[in-house]
Amino acid sequence: MVILLADAFTADLPKRLEAFGTVSQDLGALGEAEIIVVRSKTKVDKAMIDKAPKLRFVIRGGVGVDTIDVPYAESKNITVVNTPEASSVAVAELAFSMMIALASRITEADSSMKQGKWMKKELERTELMGKTVGFVGIGRIAREVAVRAKAFGMKVIAYDKYVEKSDVAEMMSLEQVYAQADYISLHTPLTDETRGMINAASIAKMKQGVRIVNTCRGQVIVETDVAAALKSGTLGGYAADVYDKEPPEGSPLLSAPNAVFAPHIGASTEENLVRLADCIVDRVKNYAAKK
Ligand code: NAD
């Protein structure tokens, strides 16, 4: 069988998968591929699936399957799996470091120094200790962020439409989280329910000066509303790893104040890429064993 690696993985992955079939990294092999392995870059949409008549198995190395047309794949008897267990710590460390960067104004301190400025008086920091962090979605990644927030002396609260109890957070309604949190960390999947949930109306329910960290999906927020709230000061800060369009060319966020950005690198730690490769080999092995 042909295994198509459509995105970038560890250098040793092709060799490890050769035990199960012919491995290609050329999209030209799509017509022959029985397994396609992707990260978030390659979109497995209808058009792609229609060009892959032998396709039976799609592996998403990572969590979000919003880049794959799962219902269409399933209608064609193609199984879609992800590797949700791999990336939690990698994304959580980025989310938490973004919270620290907002509180300690690290990016402003660094860029002003490099411009030859000495902003000792202007750059007043705040502390995370004693502040409340509110999670929207308390799944695998949020859990890891919550553990780190507790170690910093933060109060941890959360809303999750599908989770009633948590051993790391005090669960409450979305309205209560909006009203109480000094930091809001977003950790839901992108679905019809979560698309655009952070908008002018929801921001109006939050504390004045709240800081939002978004490492889940860009479309969970309305970028124009978040940029306007940053400009008016209603939002005290916004840190993001993910965007409506990637890269976010022309996004109003890029010129908004008190914002910190990363180019969708939440899962891109050396350690996680090794874990992803292990998970992918495992998924292919199980698939091959069932054939
Ligand atoms: P997870 O499935 O463990 O947790 C998601 C949580 O969101 C679940 O507890 C679920 O009940 C909750 N949820 C679903 N719909 C909701 C709603 N309408 N309101 C409130 N909560 C809701 O997933 P995870 O591993 O924690 O990952 C979360 C998301 O992070 C992924 O779906 C993906 O979009 C994103 N992600 C980003 C990166 C990155 O590189 N920045 C990497 C991995 C994952």
Short mmCIF file of all heavy atoms in Angstrom, two decimals, residues 97-160:
data_model
loop_
_atom_site.label_atom_id
_atom_site.label_comp_id
_atom_site.label_asym_id
_atom_site.label_seq_id
_atom_site.Cartn_x
_atom_site.Cartn_y
_atom_site.Cartn_z
N SER A 97 3.05 30.43 28.53
CA SER A 97 4.12 31.43 28.34
C SER A 97 3.54 32.71 27.74
O SER A 97 4.05 33.80 28.01
CB SER A 97 5.27 30.86 27.49
OG SER A 97 4.82 30.55 26.21
N MET A 98 2.46 32.60 26.96
CA MET A 98 1.81 33.81 26.43
C MET A 98 1.15 34.61 27.55
O MET A 98 1.14 35.84 27.54
CB MET A 98 0.80 33.43 25.36
CG MET A 98 1.47 32.99 24.07
SD MET A 98 0.28 32.54 22.82
CE MET A 98 1.18 33.10 21.36
N MET A 99 0.60 33.89 28.52
CA MET A 99 -0.01 34.57 29.67
C MET A 99 1.07 35.34 30.44
O MET A 99 0.89 36.49 30.82
CB MET A 99 -0.65 33.53 30.59
CG MET A 99 -2.05 33.91 31.02
SD MET A 99 -2.73 32.65 32.11
CE MET A 99 -3.15 31.41 30.97
N ILE A 100 2.22 34.69 30.63
CA ILE A 100 3.34 35.35 31.31
C ILE A 100 3.82 36.55 30.48
O ILE A 100 4.09 37.63 31.03
CB ILE A 100 4.52 34.37 31.53
CG1 ILE A 100 4.10 33.23 32.45
CG2 ILE A 100 5.73 35.09 32.12
CD1 ILE A 100 5.15 32.13 32.60
N ALA A 101 3.90 36.37 29.16
CA ALA A 101 4.39 37.46 28.29
C ALA A 101 3.47 38.68 28.40
O ALA A 101 3.95 39.82 28.45
CB ALA A 101 4.47 36.98 26.84
N LEU A 102 2.13 38.44 28.46
CA LEU A 102 1.20 39.57 28.58
C LEU A 102 1.38 40.26 29.94
O LEU A 102 1.46 41.50 30.01
CB LEU A 102 -0.25 39.09 28.43
CG LEU A 102 -0.70 38.67 27.03
CD1 LEU A 102 -2.10 38.05 27.08
CD2 LEU A 102 -0.70 39.86 26.05
N ALA A 103 1.46 39.47 31.01
CA ALA A 103 1.58 40.05 32.36
C ALA A 103 2.90 40.79 32.54
O ALA A 103 2.94 41.86 33.15
CB ALA A 103 1.45 38.95 33.41
N SER A 104 3.98 40.22 31.99
CA SER A 104 5.31 40.79 32.22
C SER A 104 5.78 41.67 31.07
O SER A 104 6.91 42.16 31.09
CB SER A 104 6.32 39.66 32.49
OG SER A 104 6.18 39.23 33.82
N ARG A 105 4.95 41.84 30.05
CA ARG A 105 5.22 42.75 28.91
C ARG A 105 6.56 42.41 28.24
O ARG A 105 7.35 43.30 27.89
CB ARG A 105 5.14 44.20 29.39
CG ARG A 105 3.79 44.45 30.04
CD ARG A 105 3.59 45.88 30.46
NE ARG A 105 3.47 46.78 29.33
CZ ARG A 105 3.23 48.09 29.44
NH1 ARG A 105 3.09 48.62 30.64
NH2 ARG A 105 3.15 48.85 28.39
N ILE A 106 6.78 41.13 28.10
CA ILE A 106 8.09 40.66 27.61
C ILE A 106 8.37 41.11 26.18
O ILE A 106 9.50 41.53 25.87
CB ILE A 106 8.18 39.12 27.75
CG1 ILE A 106 8.26 38.80 29.25
CG2 ILE A 106 9.40 38.57 27.01
CD1 ILE A 106 8.36 37.36 29.60
N THR A 107 7.37 41.04 25.31
CA THR A 107 7.65 41.41 23.91
C THR A 107 7.92 42.91 23.78
O THR A 107 8.79 43.32 23.01
CB THR A 107 6.49 40.99 22.96
OG1 THR A 107 5.29 41.55 23.45
CG2 THR A 107 6.36 39.48 22.90
N GLU A 108 7.20 43.74 24.57
CA GLU A 108 7.46 45.19 24.51
C GLU A 108 8.84 45.52 25.08
O GLU A 108 9.56 46.38 24.56
CB GLU A 108 6.42 45.96 25.32
CG GLU A 108 5.03 45.96 24.73
CD GLU A 108 4.00 46.21 25.83
OE1 GLU A 108 3.68 45.27 26.58
OE2 GLU A 108 3.55 47.36 25.94
N ALA A 109 9.20 44.83 26.18
CA ALA A 109 10.51 45.08 26.79
C ALA A 109 11.61 44.72 25.80
O ALA A 109 12.55 45.50 25.57
CB ALA A 109 10.65 44.24 28.07
N ASP A 110 11.46 43.58 25.17
CA ASP A 110 12.48 43.10 24.24
C ASP A 110 12.58 44.01 23.01
O ASP A 110 13.68 44.45 22.65
CB ASP A 110 12.12 41.67 23.81
CG ASP A 110 13.08 41.11 22.81
OD1 ASP A 110 14.24 40.85 23.19
OD2 ASP A 110 12.70 40.95 21.63
N SER A 111 11.43 44.34 22.39
CA SER A 111 11.53 45.13 21.15
C SER A 111 11.99 46.56 21.42
O SER A 111 12.74 47.13 20.64
CB SER A 111 10.22 45.10 20.35
OG SER A 111 9.19 45.59 21.14
N SER A 112 11.60 47.13 22.59
CA SER A 112 12.06 48.50 22.89
C SER A 112 13.57 48.52 23.15
O SER A 112 14.27 49.44 22.72
CB SER A 112 11.28 49.10 24.06
OG SER A 112 11.40 48.28 25.20
N MET A 113 14.08 47.49 23.83
CA MET A 113 15.54 47.42 24.04
C MET A 113 16.27 47.36 22.70
O MET A 113 17.29 48.03 22.50
CB MET A 113 15.89 46.16 24.86
CG MET A 113 15.51 46.21 26.32
SD MET A 113 16.42 47.44 27.27
CE MET A 113 18.06 46.78 27.28
N LYS A 114 15.73 46.56 21.79
CA LYS A 114 16.40 46.40 20.49
C LYS A 114 16.32 47.68 19.65
O LYS A 114 17.08 47.85 18.71
CB LYS A 114 15.82 45.20 19.74
CG LYS A 114 16.27 43.89 20.37
CD LYS A 114 15.58 42.69 19.79
CE LYS A 114 16.05 41.42 20.51
NZ LYS A 114 15.18 40.27 20.24
N GLN A 115 15.34 48.55 20.01
CA GLN A 115 15.26 49.86 19.32
C GLN A 115 16.10 50.90 20.05
O GLN A 115 16.00 52.11 19.77
CB GLN A 115 13.81 50.34 19.27
CG GLN A 115 12.92 49.58 18.31
CD GLN A 115 11.43 49.78 18.62
OE1 GLN A 115 11.04 50.77 19.25
NE2 GLN A 115 10.61 48.84 18.20
N GLY A 116 16.88 50.48 21.04
CA GLY A 116 17.76 51.40 21.76
C GLY A 116 17.05 52.22 22.83
O GLY A 116 17.57 53.22 23.31
N LYS A 117 15.80 51.78 23.22
CA LYS A 117 15.06 52.55 24.24
C LYS A 117 15.25 51.91 25.61
O LYS A 117 15.42 50.70 25.72
CB LYS A 117 13.57 52.56 23.89
CG LYS A 117 13.24 53.27 22.60
CD LYS A 117 11.74 53.25 22.38
CE LYS A 117 11.36 53.62 20.96
NZ LYS A 117 10.04 53.14 20.61
N TRP A 118 15.16 52.72 26.65
CA TRP A 118 15.26 52.26 28.03
C TRP A 118 13.95 52.62 28.73
O TRP A 118 13.80 53.68 29.30
CB TRP A 118 16.46 52.92 28.71
CG TRP A 118 16.74 52.47 30.10
CD1 TRP A 118 16.54 53.18 31.26
CD2 TRP A 118 17.29 51.21 30.51
NE1 TRP A 118 16.93 52.44 32.34
CE2 TRP A 118 17.40 51.22 31.93
CE3 TRP A 118 17.69 50.07 29.81
CZ2 TRP A 118 17.89 50.14 32.65
CZ3 TRP A 118 18.19 48.99 30.54
CH2 TRP A 118 18.29 49.04 31.94
N MET A 119 12.93 51.70 28.65
CA MET A 119 11.58 52.04 29.11
C MET A 119 11.31 51.55 30.53
O MET A 119 10.25 51.02 30.84
CB MET A 119 10.55 51.46 28.12
CG MET A 119 10.65 52.14 26.75
SD MET A 119 9.54 51.44 25.51
CE MET A 119 7.94 51.87 26.19
N LYS A 120 12.29 51.74 31.40
CA LYS A 120 12.19 51.26 32.79
C LYS A 120 10.95 51.82 33.50
O LYS A 120 10.27 51.11 34.22
CB LYS A 120 13.47 51.63 33.54
CG LYS A 120 13.55 51.06 34.95
CD LYS A 120 14.91 51.32 35.54
CE LYS A 120 14.96 51.03 37.03
NZ LYS A 120 14.70 49.64 37.37
N LYS A 121 10.65 53.10 33.27
CA LYS A 121 9.50 53.71 33.96
C LYS A 121 8.17 53.28 33.32
O LYS A 121 7.20 53.01 34.01
CB LYS A 121 9.61 55.24 33.88
CG LYS A 121 10.56 55.83 34.88
CD LYS A 121 10.17 57.28 35.23
CE LYS A 121 11.21 57.90 36.13
NZ LYS A 121 12.33 58.47 35.36
N GLU A 122 8.16 53.22 31.99
CA GLU A 122 6.90 52.96 31.28
C GLU A 122 6.41 51.52 31.39
O GLU A 122 5.21 51.25 31.43
CB GLU A 122 7.05 53.28 29.77
CG GLU A 122 7.30 54.74 29.45
CD GLU A 122 8.79 55.09 29.46
OE1 GLU A 122 9.57 54.39 30.12
OE2 GLU A 122 9.16 56.08 28.80
N LEU A 123 7.35 50.57 31.45
CA LEU A 123 6.95 49.17 31.38
C LEU A 123 6.61 48.58 32.75
O LEU A 123 7.35 47.77 33.31
CB LEU A 123 8.04 48.33 30.69
CG LEU A 123 8.12 48.54 29.17
CD1 LEU A 123 9.30 47.76 28.60
CD2 LEU A 123 6.83 48.11 28.49
N GLU A 124 5.45 48.99 33.27
CA GLU A 124 5.01 48.45 34.55
C GLU A 124 4.39 47.08 34.30
O GLU A 124 3.54 46.93 33.42
CB GLU A 124 3.97 49.39 35.17
CG GLU A 124 3.67 49.04 36.60
CD GLU A 124 2.71 50.06 37.20
OE1 GLU A 124 1.50 49.94 36.92
OE2 GLU A 124 3.16 50.95 37.92
N ARG A 125 4.82 46.08 35.06
CA ARG A 125 4.33 44.72 34.88
C ARG A 125 3.19 44.43 35.85
O ARG A 125 2.91 45.24 36.74
CB ARG A 125 5.48 43.72 35.09
CG ARG A 125 6.63 43.90 34.12
CD ARG A 125 7.87 43.14 34.57
NE ARG A 125 7.55 41.80 35.00
CZ ARG A 125 7.92 41.27 36.18
NH1 ARG A 125 8.67 41.97 37.01
NH2 ARG A 125 7.57 40.05 36.52
N THR A 126 2.53 43.29 35.68
CA THR A 126 1.57 42.81 36.69
C THR A 126 1.96 41.36 37.01
O THR A 126 2.74 40.76 36.28
CB THR A 126 0.12 42.84 36.16
OG1 THR A 126 0.09 42.16 34.90
CG2 THR A 126 -0.38 44.26 35.98
N GLU A 127 1.40 40.84 38.11
CA GLU A 127 1.71 39.46 38.50
C GLU A 127 0.54 38.54 38.20
O GLU A 127 -0.62 38.96 38.23
CB GLU A 127 2.03 39.44 40.01
CG GLU A 127 3.30 40.20 40.32
CD GLU A 127 3.56 40.36 41.81
OE1 GLU A 127 2.81 39.79 42.63
OE2 GLU A 127 4.52 41.08 42.15
N LEU A 128 0.85 37.28 37.96
CA LEU A 128 -0.22 36.29 37.76
C LEU A 128 -0.75 35.79 39.11
O LEU A 128 -1.92 35.43 39.22
CB LEU A 128 0.30 35.10 36.93
CG LEU A 128 0.65 35.41 35.46
CD1 LEU A 128 1.20 34.16 34.78
CD2 LEU A 128 -0.57 35.94 34.71
N MET A 129 0.10 35.80 40.12
CA MET A 129 -0.33 35.29 41.43
C MET A 129 -1.55 36.06 41.93
O MET A 129 -1.57 37.29 41.87
CB MET A 129 0.80 35.39 42.46
CG MET A 129 0.44 34.66 43.74
SD MET A 129 1.87 34.38 44.78
CE MET A 129 1.92 35.93 45.64
N GLY A 130 -2.56 35.31 42.35
CA GLY A 130 -3.76 35.94 42.89
C GLY A 130 -4.80 36.28 41.82
O GLY A 130 -5.93 36.64 42.14
N LYS A 131 -4.43 36.18 40.55
CA LYS A 131 -5.39 36.48 39.47
C LYS A 131 -6.22 35.23 39.16
O LYS A 131 -5.82 34.11 39.51
CB LYS A 131 -4.66 36.94 38.21
CG LYS A 131 -3.78 38.16 38.40
CD LYS A 131 -4.58 39.40 38.75
CE LYS A 131 -3.74 40.66 38.75
NZ LYS A 131 -2.52 40.61 39.58
N THR A 132 -7.32 35.44 38.46
CA THR A 132 -8.20 34.32 38.08
C THR A 132 -8.06 34.03 36.60
O THR A 132 -8.16 34.95 35.78
CB THR A 132 -9.68 34.68 38.40
OG1 THR A 132 -9.79 34.87 39.81
CG2 THR A 132 -10.63 33.58 37.96
N VAL A 133 -7.79 32.76 36.28
CA VAL A 133 -7.78 32.37 34.87
C VAL A 133 -9.04 31.53 34.61
O VAL A 133 -9.35 30.61 35.37
CB VAL A 133 -6.49 31.61 34.46
CG1 VAL A 133 -6.21 30.39 35.32
CG2 VAL A 133 -6.55 31.21 32.98
N GLY A 134 -9.74 31.89 33.54
CA GLY A 134 -10.96 31.17 33.17
C GLY A 134 -10.74 30.42 31.87
O GLY A 134 -10.30 31.01 30.88
N PHE A 135 -11.03 29.13 31.88
CA PHE A 135 -10.87 28.32 30.67
C PHE A 135 -12.21 28.15 29.97
O PHE A 135 -13.21 27.87 30.62
CB PHE A 135 -10.30 26.94 31.01
CG PHE A 135 -8.89 27.02 31.51
CD1 PHE A 135 -8.61 27.05 32.86
CD2 PHE A 135 -7.84 27.13 30.61
CE1 PHE A 135 -7.30 27.16 33.32
CE2 PHE A 135 -6.53 27.24 31.06
CZ PHE A 135 -6.26 27.25 32.41
N VAL A 136 -12.20 28.31 28.67
CA VAL A 136 -13.37 27.95 27.89
C VAL A 136 -12.98 26.66 27.18
O VAL A 136 -12.13 26.66 26.29
CB VAL A 136 -13.76 29.06 26.89
CG1 VAL A 136 -15.02 28.66 26.12
CG2 VAL A 136 -13.98 30.37 27.63
N GLY A 137 -13.57 25.54 27.64
CA GLY A 137 -13.15 24.21 27.23
C GLY A 137 -12.09 23.72 28.20
O GLY A 137 -11.04 24.35 28.32
N ILE A 138 -12.39 22.63 28.93
CA ILE A 138 -11.39 22.12 29.90
C ILE A 138 -10.99 20.69 29.52
O ILE A 138 -11.17 19.74 30.27
CB ILE A 138 -11.85 22.30 31.37
CG1 ILE A 138 -10.74 22.01 32.39
CG2 ILE A 138 -13.12 21.53 31.69
CD1 ILE A 138 -9.81 23.13 32.64
N GLY A 139 -10.45 20.56 28.31
CA GLY A 139 -9.98 19.26 27.82
C GLY A 139 -8.52 19.06 28.14
O GLY A 139 -7.99 19.60 29.11
N ARG A 140 -7.85 18.29 27.28
CA ARG A 140 -6.46 17.88 27.55
C ARG A 140 -5.51 19.07 27.70
O ARG A 140 -4.71 19.11 28.63
CB ARG A 140 -5.94 17.00 26.42
CG ARG A 140 -6.60 15.66 26.35
CD ARG A 140 -6.01 14.86 25.19
NE ARG A 140 -6.82 13.69 24.93
CZ ARG A 140 -7.90 13.69 24.15
NH1 ARG A 140 -8.29 14.80 23.54
NH2 ARG A 140 -8.59 12.59 23.97
N ILE A 141 -5.56 20.02 26.76
CA ILE A 141 -4.59 21.13 26.79
C ILE A 141 -4.89 22.06 27.96
O ILE A 141 -3.99 22.42 28.73
CB ILE A 141 -4.59 21.90 25.44
CG1 ILE A 141 -4.14 20.97 24.31
CG2 ILE A 141 -3.68 23.13 25.53
CD1 ILE A 141 -4.33 21.53 22.91
N ALA A 142 -6.17 22.43 28.12
CA ALA A 142 -6.54 23.35 29.21
C ALA A 142 -6.11 22.79 30.56
O ALA A 142 -5.65 23.52 31.44
CB ALA A 142 -8.04 23.60 29.19
N ARG A 143 -6.27 21.48 30.72
CA ARG A 143 -5.85 20.82 31.97
C ARG A 143 -4.38 21.09 32.30
O ARG A 143 -4.03 21.43 33.42
CB ARG A 143 -6.00 19.31 31.77
CG ARG A 143 -6.84 18.59 32.71
CD ARG A 143 -6.54 17.10 32.61
NE ARG A 143 -5.70 16.73 33.73
CZ ARG A 143 -6.12 16.64 34.97
NH1 ARG A 143 -7.38 16.87 35.26
NH2 ARG A 143 -5.30 16.34 35.95
N GLU A 144 -3.55 20.96 31.26
CA GLU A 144 -2.11 21.18 31.47
C GLU A 144 -1.83 22.65 31.79
O GLU A 144 -0.94 22.96 32.59
CB GLU A 144 -1.31 20.76 30.22
CG GLU A 144 -1.34 19.28 29.92
CD GLU A 144 -0.61 18.43 30.95
OE1 GLU A 144 0.24 18.97 31.68
OE2 GLU A 144 -0.91 17.23 31.04
N VAL A 145 -2.57 23.56 31.17
CA VAL A 145 -2.39 24.99 31.48
C VAL A 145 -2.85 25.25 32.92
O VAL A 145 -2.19 25.98 33.68
CB VAL A 145 -3.18 25.91 30.51
CG1 VAL A 145 -2.84 27.38 30.77
CG2 VAL A 145 -2.90 25.56 29.06
N ALA A 146 -3.95 24.61 33.31
CA ALA A 146 -4.52 24.82 34.65
C ALA A 146 -3.52 24.41 35.73
O ALA A 146 -3.35 25.11 36.74
CB ALA A 146 -5.82 24.03 34.80
N VAL A 147 -2.85 23.27 35.53
CA VAL A 147 -1.87 22.80 36.50
C VAL A 147 -0.76 23.84 36.66
O VAL A 147 -0.33 24.15 37.78
CB VAL A 147 -1.29 21.43 36.02
CG1 VAL A 147 -0.07 21.04 36.84
CG2 VAL A 147 -2.36 20.35 36.08
N ARG A 148 -0.32 24.41 35.53
CA ARG A 148 0.75 25.42 35.57
C ARG A 148 0.25 26.70 36.24
O ARG A 148 0.97 27.36 37.01
CB ARG A 148 1.27 25.69 34.15
CG ARG A 148 2.15 24.53 33.68
CD ARG A 148 2.17 24.34 32.16
NE ARG A 148 3.00 23.18 31.83
CZ ARG A 148 2.59 21.90 31.92
NH1 ARG A 148 1.36 21.60 32.32
NH2 ARG A 148 3.42 20.91 31.62
N ALA A 149 -1.00 27.10 35.95
CA ALA A 149 -1.57 28.32 36.55
C ALA A 149 -1.66 28.18 38.07
O ALA A 149 -1.37 29.12 38.82
CB ALA A 149 -2.95 28.58 35.95
N LYS A 150 -2.06 26.97 38.52
CA LYS A 150 -2.14 26.74 39.98
C LYS A 150 -0.78 26.88 40.63
O LYS A 150 -0.65 27.44 41.71
CB LYS A 150 -2.72 25.35 40.25
CG LYS A 150 -4.21 25.33 40.04
CD LYS A 150 -4.83 24.10 40.64
CE LYS A 150 -6.33 24.33 40.76
NZ LYS A 150 -7.06 23.13 41.07
N ALA A 151 0.25 26.36 39.96
CA ALA A 151 1.60 26.45 40.51
C ALA A 151 2.04 27.91 40.65
O ALA A 151 2.89 28.23 41.47
CB ALA A 151 2.59 25.68 39.63
N PHE A 152 1.44 28.79 39.85
CA PHE A 152 1.74 30.23 39.92
C PHE A 152 0.82 30.97 40.90
O PHE A 152 0.84 32.20 40.94
CB PHE A 152 1.63 30.86 38.52
CG PHE A 152 2.93 30.86 37.76
CD1 PHE A 152 3.59 29.68 37.46
CD2 PHE A 152 3.50 32.06 37.34
CE1 PHE A 152 4.78 29.68 36.76
CE2 PHE A 152 4.70 32.06 36.64
CZ PHE A 152 5.35 30.88 36.36
N GLY A 153 -0.03 30.23 41.61
CA GLY A 153 -0.91 30.87 42.60
C GLY A 153 -2.14 31.53 42.00
O GLY A 153 -2.72 32.44 42.59
N MET A 154 -2.56 31.05 40.81
CA MET A 154 -3.78 31.61 40.21
C MET A 154 -5.01 30.82 40.64
O MET A 154 -4.93 29.62 40.93
CB MET A 154 -3.67 31.57 38.67
CG MET A 154 -2.52 32.38 38.12
SD MET A 154 -2.49 32.38 36.30
CE MET A 154 -3.62 33.74 35.94
N LYS A 155 -6.16 31.49 40.65
CA LYS A 155 -7.43 30.80 40.86
C LYS A 155 -7.89 30.27 39.49
O LYS A 155 -7.81 31.01 38.49
CB LYS A 155 -8.47 31.79 41.43
CG LYS A 155 -9.79 31.13 41.69
CD LYS A 155 -10.81 32.09 42.29
CE LYS A 155 -12.14 31.33 42.40
NZ LYS A 155 -13.25 32.20 42.73
N VAL A 156 -8.33 29.03 39.44
CA VAL A 156 -8.66 28.40 38.15
C VAL A 156 -10.15 28.09 38.07
O VAL A 156 -10.68 27.32 38.87
CB VAL A 156 -7.84 27.11 37.95
CG1 VAL A 156 -8.23 26.42 36.66
CG2 VAL A 156 -6.34 27.43 37.94
N ILE A 157 -10.84 28.72 37.11
CA ILE A 157 -12.26 28.45 36.89
C ILE A 157 -12.45 28.03 35.43
O ILE A 157 -11.57 28.30 34.59
CB ILE A 157 -13.14 29.69 37.22
CG1 ILE A 157 -12.76 30.88 36.30
CG2 ILE A 157 -12.98 30.09 38.69
CD1 ILE A 157 -13.67 32.11 36.48
N ALA A 158 -13.56 27.36 35.12
CA ALA A 158 -13.74 26.89 33.74
C ALA A 158 -15.20 26.72 33.39
O ALA A 158 -16.04 26.44 34.25
CB ALA A 158 -13.00 25.57 33.55
N TYR A 159 -15.46 26.87 32.09
CA TYR A 159 -16.76 26.50 31.50
C TYR A 159 -16.48 25.50 30.39
O TYR A 159 -15.55 25.69 29.58
CB TYR A 159 -17.46 27.73 30.90
CG TYR A 159 -18.56 27.33 29.94
CD1 TYR A 159 -19.78 26.86 30.42
CD2 TYR A 159 -18.37 27.39 28.56
CE1 TYR A 159 -20.78 26.45 29.55
CE2 TYR A 159 -19.37 27.00 27.68
CZ TYR A 159 -20.57 26.53 28.18
OH TYR A 159 -21.55 26.12 27.31
N ASP A 160 -17.26 24.44 30.37
CA ASP A 160 -17.17 23.46 29.27
C ASP A 160 -18.58 22.95 29.02
O ASP A 160 -19.22 22.45 29.95
CB ASP A 160 -16.22 22.32 29.66
CG ASP A 160 -15.88 21.44 28.46
OD1 ASP A 160 -16.82 20.95 27.79
OD2 ASP A 160 -14.68 21.24 28.20
#
